[in-house]
Amino acid sequence: MTPELLVAIIVTVVGASTPILIAALGELIVEKSGVLNLGVEGMMLVGAITAFVIVFVTGNHYLAILLAAAAGVATSLIFGFLTLSLSANQTATGLALTIFGTGFSALAGQGYSARPVTLLGPLFPAEIATHPMWRVLFGYSALVYFALIMVVAVWFFLKRTRAGLILRAVGENDLSAHSIGYSVIGVRYLAVMFGGAMAGIAGACFPLLLTPQWAERMTAGRGWIAVALVVFASWKPFRLLAGAYLFGLVVTMELYAKAGGGPLSAIPSELWAALPYLATVVVLVLISIRRDASTNAPACLGKPFLPAN
Amino acid sequence: MTLTRRNVLKVGAAAAALPLLGGKAFAQAEPLKVGFMLIGTVNDNGWNFGHAQGAKFMKEALGDAVAEPTIVENVPEGPDCERVLRELAQSGHKLIFATSFGYGDYVIKVAEQFPDVKFEHATGYQRSDNVATYNARFHEGRAVCGTIAGHLSKTGKAGYIGSFPIPEVVLGINSFVLAARKVNPAFEITPVYISTWNDPAKEADAARAMIDQGIDIIAQHTDGPAALQVAEERGIVGGFGQGADMVAFAPKAQLTSIIDNWGPTYVESAEAVIAGTWASADRWPGLKEGEVQIGPYNASIPADVVAAAEAVKAGQIDGSFNIFTGPINDHTGAERVAAGVTLTDGELLSMDWYVEGVNPPA
């Protein structure tokens, strides 16, 4: 394998991993506040069609990312209102949100399917962004660096800030947080909105980073991968980064191995398809062996907040 | 009219209520209701778009003799499609087109319960008294594309993105490679199966993986333009539109396209049902009947290459050329088809081996 090919593979892996990482970081914050939002896939699709339409109409990629985030927030507020204000079942509402997002994006996208846009270009100047070797560090669009910065930001927020501590308190013991005067519902609304914004940006990655078109259901289940990754990473941002890149590596290596021949191409595609799930099982087993880490799930995850009046 | 499955339910409920109102008396004068069941969305710009265009063509051609066609989108190949078929049949549709391979078993099952409804299953092989099958000879178009690829490829290596290794896809790959090797005997192709019909991001990544490893021509048997867009972005020699003209996505990279034209087939079937002459059959028209068409050639292709492609096209239309006439070797180099022998339709439809020049996937 030549160094150039290695660089090319890494660039593709990073692209494939980025939307999953962004969506999962949002869901991690949501779950840390004690809320389980299974509507990630739906919010991503709303973000994807919003980004596509904005780029198609204005040609401005950054405006598209911004408005995709706003659309994700708006979609997440439907979930927030139902589960937080009305205490509806979070699992059922999240599933409904995915179905809604799928249908809404398909409706909004009618008439946009035969229209191409352009990808968001690299952030750095072309001399280093297209260099055969240096592009491994500098060849990406802003979305990739945003995802990496957000990994550190989410970790810092949860571990090192007072607001992060409050968020974790709300997720671990909502009644205690409530009794000392924190607004449990308010904190959870903010967390759900952050999750919506990140899912919207993750959706924007599809037309702006991966394939410059609109196709119905173009996220193809990656929102669910993001939800699973949060558990896989036991609610830790840096493990999430590793998990997302590992997933991207497996799905991308499958394609490179099949296209390039060589020893890896002898692996049947069924085994490649099973690898991420096998990895999940292995990680879950490892987590279970270490008893202290298995309690990392937020204690109030998925439970509606119903204070005794 | 594009209906969601929920609306079909409503229509079904209304139709079920009709006989109670004494509606049977005027049922004869009603225009023929035709239903279409699609695996994806009509906005995919490819396979499903082609069927929707065919439905539109049928309505325009037959006017008031047929009702506005009912199109049910996004029907998975599983038990759900049986329900959709039954709802269509119960709501008065007398001709129903099921347009994906995996619907086959369910079509046969539902057709037994509705003997007065005619079913037609695209790309299928199971027939009964009221179930016909139809397909298009897309591989004839692949031979035209392969001829162009053989002339233009500098590396002599092409990539081919497939959905699943089913005979229809294998047939297309073999046709493409046979045609390319008639021009460049060293031409080779590596198929990559991505196990889905519609995951544009994965299609794009597969295209990147192939281009990074030295191919300069790309073809695909999936439903969208993602691979062509990557070809455009990377500036390789090019690729081919599949199902529809995709020039808007890749003005430089799309060398030509294979266009599905189902309209005439649908008109023929609807007319036969109205006239009462419909009979179960297996239809497999191609370039000659105009069901498979070749889109415009890219202006960048040299005139002699266009002429060679046109010659392959013309030969298949007048019957003087068949891409599956031997001698044909399989991928190990052993002779599979003797000189002068042409594979039968049955052998084409069950093709499970690769010709020489294909690096077979695991």
Side-chain angles (χ1 to χ4, degrees):
Chain A
M1 187 185 287
T2 63
E4 286 80 9
L5 179 58
L6 188 63
V7 166
I9 292 174
I10 293 171
V11 168
T12 309
V13 169
V14 169
S17 312
T18 293
I20 298 167
L21 177 58
I22 295 175
L25 280 169
E27 180 69 7
L28 187 146
I29 290 288
V30 177
E31 292 191 12
K32 271 291 187 185
S33 82
V35 179
L36 179 68
N37 185 354
L38 295 179
V40 177
E41 178 86 357
M43 296 189 293
M44 281 170 75
L45 281 166
V46 172
I49 185 59
T50 306
F52 180 89
V53 172
I54 299 302
V55 156
F56 181 73
V57 173
T58 69
N60 188 330
H61 294 84
Y62 291 102
L63 183 68
I65 296 168
L66 204 64
L67 290 182
V73 171
T75 316
S76 73
L77 282 173
I78 303 172
F79 174 85
F81 177 72
L82 288 167
T83 59
L84 301 178
S85 297
L86 303 181
S87 300
N89 180 294
Q90 292 177 7
T91 308
T93 311
L95 291 172
L97 192 70
T98 285
I99 297 168
F100 166 77
T102 308
F104 176 82
S105 60
L107 179 69
Q110 295 223 348
Y112 286 103
S113 60
R115 295 157 195 272
V117 292
T118 54
L119 291 174
L120 174 60
L123 188 62
F124 292 100
E127 301 85 75
I128 51 170
T130 57
H131 185 277
M133 301 309 296
W134 284 114
R135 71 189 180 110
V136 73
L137 291 178
F138 302 108
Y140 310 104
S141 74
L143 285 161
V144 168
Y145 302 108
F146 168 78
L148 296 173
I149 291 167
M150 286 311 287
V151 173
V152 181
V154 164
W155 169 81
F156 185 82
F157 170 79
L158 286 173
K159 281 285 180 192
R160 294 280 185 270
T161 68
R162 186 176 172 79
L165 186 65
I166 295 168
L167 180 98
R168 283 190 286 146
V170 164
E172 295 297 341
N173 194 330
D174 47 8
L175 288 171
S176 299
H178 177 66
S179 67
I180 56 173
Y182 292 117
S183 166
V184 171
I185 297 297
V187 168
R188 287 184 175 172
Y189 257 110
L190 290 175
V192 165
M193 286 163 69
F194 177 78
M198 294 293 272
I201 296 170
C205 289
F206 286 83
L208 303 185
L209 181 69
L210 299 175
T211 176
Q213 56 165 323
W214 164 250
E216 275 179 34
R217 302 168 187 228
M218 72 187 300
T219 53
R222 287 173 185 77
W224 296 108
I225 303 287
V227 173
L229 266 181
V230 177
V231 184
F232 177 99
S234 49
W235 293 268
K236 293 180 190 304
F238 286 104
R239 282 196 198 168
L240 199 63
L241 173 71
Y245 274 67
L246 179 67
F247 181 82
L249 179 73
V250 171
V251 294
T252 307
M253 276 318 293
E254 173 190 357
L255 299 172
Y256 276 87
K258 285 180 183 172
L264 281 178
S265 69
I267 302 175
S269 44
E270 292 82 0
L271 184 60
W272 280 112
L275 274 181
Y277 307 97
L278 289 175
T280 308
V281 171
V282 171
V283 168
L284 289 176
V285 168
L286 290 177
I287 289 172
S288 306
I289 290 170
R290 288 182 53 215
R291 288 279 166 207
D292 55 321
S294 62
T295 52
N296 207 31
C300 295
L301 184 61
K303 292 180 196 150
F305 175 59
L306 297 163
N309 290 318
Chain B
M1 180 171 56
T2 302
L3 283 183
T4 61
R5 270 177 264 167
R6 185 174 300 116
N7 283 347
V8 169
L9 267 175
K10 284 186 209 154
V11 174
L18 260 182
L20 299 174
L21 304 169
K24 270 191 173 160
F26 60 84
Q28 287 298 317
E30 299 252 316
L32 175 69
K33 288 174 80 174
V34 185
F36 291 84
M37 185 165 78
L38 308 184
I39 189 163
T41 152
V42 300
N43 294 322
D44 71 347
N45 216 39
W47 175 258
N48 298 294
F49 172 79
H51 287 286
Q53 290 295 106
K56 203 172 139 193
F57 181 88
M58 178 198 74
K59 172 64 186 159
E60 280 164 10
L62 298 179
D64 292 338
V66 291
E68 195 65 42
T70 306
I71 298 174
V72 190
E73 299 170 82
N74 294 320
V75 183
E77 293 173 333
D80 211 25
C81 82
E82 183 181 333
R83 187 177 57 78
V84 173
L85 285 168
R86 191 168 286 122
E87 280 163 8
L88 284 169
Q90 281 170 344
S91 56
H93 295 84
K94 294 294 173 209
L95 177 60
I96 297 170
F97 293 98
T99 65
S100 195
F101 176 78
Y103 295 151
D105 295 341
Y106 303 97
V107 172
I108 293 290
K109 193 172 163 192
V110 174
E112 276 174 17
Q113 297 157 5
F114 296 92
D116 61 330
V117 177
K118 312 301 180 201
F119 293 85
E120 298 208 20
H121 179 213
T123 72
Y125 60 93
Q126 303 174 83
R127 283 173 293 282
S128 68
D129 284 347
N130 59 331
V131 178
T133 50
Y134 66 107
N135 201 344
R137 292 178 188 269
F138 301 115
H139 60 273
E140 295 182 346
R142 297 281 181 194
V144 178
C145 295
T147 305
I148 298 173
H151 277 102
L152 296 185
S153 175
K154 295 182 188 77
T155 63
K157 289 191 173 78
Y160 201 109
I161 302 176
S163 48
F164 300 94
I166 56 176
E168 192 190 336
V169 176
V170 172
L171 183 58
I173 292 171
N174 285 343
S175 178
F176 186 91
V177 176
L178 285 172
R181 284 172 76 92
K182 285 189 195 300
V183 181
N184 173 5
F187 194 90
E188 58 176 305
I189 201 166
T190 305
V192 169
Y193 291 106
I194 61 168
S195 306
T196 168
W197 285 107
N198 193 15
D199 182 345
K202 194 169 182 184
E203 284 170 48
D205 280 347
R208 292 182 180 110
M210 293 169 159
I211 294 169
D212 285 339
Q213 296 184 81
I215 63 123
D216 63 357
I217 293 270
I218 199 155
Q220 76 282 352
H221 198 137
T222 47
D223 289 347
L228 267 179
Q229 285 184 305
V230 175
E232 180 88 4
E233 175 198 331
R234 293 289 178 92
I236 62 167
V237 172
F240 302 94
Q242 150 74 359
D245 190 348
M246 298 175 173
V247 70
F249 293 96
K252 289 201 290 286
Q254 180 181 281
L255 301 171
T256 186
S257 53
I258 303 173
I259 299 171
D260 306 350
N261 180 33
W262 300 103
T265 300
Y266 290 155
V267 171
E268 197 181 301
S269 297
E271 279 175 335
V273 171
I274 292 167
T277 58
W278 190 95
S280 174
D282 179 38
R283 283 181 295 167
W284 203 16
L287 282 170
K288 185 176 152 202
E289 295 83 358
E291 181 156 302
V292 177
Q293 296 174 335
I294 300 296
Y297 296 100
N298 195 301
S300 68
I301 305 179
D304 60 320
V305 177
V306 171
E310 282 291 303
V312 168
K313 182 174 140 188
Q316 294 182 101
I317 289 173
D318 66 25
S320 64
F321 175 77
N322 189 315
I323 190 70
F324 286 109
T325 298
I328 300 174
N329 294 345
D330 70 13
H331 75 269
T332 63
E335 186 178 272
R336 184 81 184 218
V337 183
V341 175
T342 300
L343 290 177
T344 63
D345 283 359
E347 285 166 327
L348 294 182
L349 286 169
S350 58
M351 191 170 262
D352 60 354
W353 54 278
Y354 294 100
V355 299
E356 197 167 23
V358 179
N359 302 312

